[in-house]
Amino acid sequence: KQAIIDGADIQGTAILSTGENSTNKYLRIDGDGSCSWQQTGKILQVISSTYSGSTTTTSTSGTFPSALTVSITIASGSRVLIMGTIGAEGADTTYTTFGYMRRGSTYICLGDASSNRRRVTNFQRQESSQASNTMAMNFVDNPGAGTHTYSIGVGVQSGGTVRINSSRSDNNASFNGRAASTITVMEIGQ
């Protein structure tokens, strides 16, 4: 089988022809229907989940809402791009909020260890009582073939409380909002 690119000038592009004659260049399709000449780095699948509820936590190691947990099965040689956003605000301005990312029960994408500093994916400290700040988390993981479960969550400095998807005061007023948090994972082919 052959695919013909009629009249296309593909010189200088990343796709190389696998055959040609005086007028056409050919990209051959493998016998199993695949195209071994394709470049690597293609997105093979996308899985996403959204958490639109609201909750609070006092956990320092993180609370991971089940709606912000997804599983993906990948092939050998593939990697996983994890992207997440989570609306989080400490219930008191004197406490720091921590963002976390996990594969299974293993924390991933953490800062380096440094004395007493907490290893986290990111952190924030707000000064406004009405804002729900969004933490963004992105990471490319190389876990090997198989099924992997990823989650994002938040924790708070010891003694504090953090709200997910709502403002610190969460008053029933038009100037307060409710956010939605998301996690998206993509298999990136080799």
Side-chain angles (χ1 to χ4, degrees), residues 31-75:
D32 63 359
S34 66
C35 300
S36 59
W37 47 263
Q38 288 180 326
Q39 288 190 342
T40 62
K42 303 277 189 223
I43 301 298
L44 302 178
Q45 62 175 311
V46 177
I47 300 170
S48 187
S49 183
T50 300
Y51 175 58
S52 58
S54 178
T55 190
T56 61
T57 183
T58 58
S59 172
T60 58
S61 59
T63 292
F64 298 81
S66 60
L68 294 178
T69 300
V70 294
S71 293
I72 187 169
T73 302
I74 65 168

Side-chain angles (χ1 to χ4, degrees), residues 81-137:
L81 171 61
I82 308 107
M83 300 185 302
T85 60
I86 189 164
E89 171 148 9
D92 187 317
T93 58
T94 62
Y95 294 97
T96 302
T97 302
F98 307 115
Y100 295 104
M101 186 180 287
R102 293 189 311 192
R103 179 189 347 99
S105 61
T106 302
Y107 290 80
I108 58 175
C109 189
L110 298 173
D112 291 341
S114 178
S115 191
N116 292 324
R117 295 166 184 87
R118 184 174 298 278
R119 297 186 68 210
V120 299
T121 303
N122 59 21
F123 64 93
Q124 64 186 9
R125 190 173 181 133
Q126 306 79 249
E127 300 303 326
S128 168
S129 64
Q130 306 306 329
S132 176
N133 295 321
T134 300
M135 291 185 176
M137 300 178 221

Side-chain angles (χ1 to χ4, degrees), residues 153-173:
V154 293
V156 67
Q157 179 182 343
S158 182
T161 300
V162 64
R163 291 182 177 274
I164 300 174
N165 289 344
S166 65
S167 66
R168 181 180 316 132
S169 66
D170 200 27
N171 294 330
N172 187 16

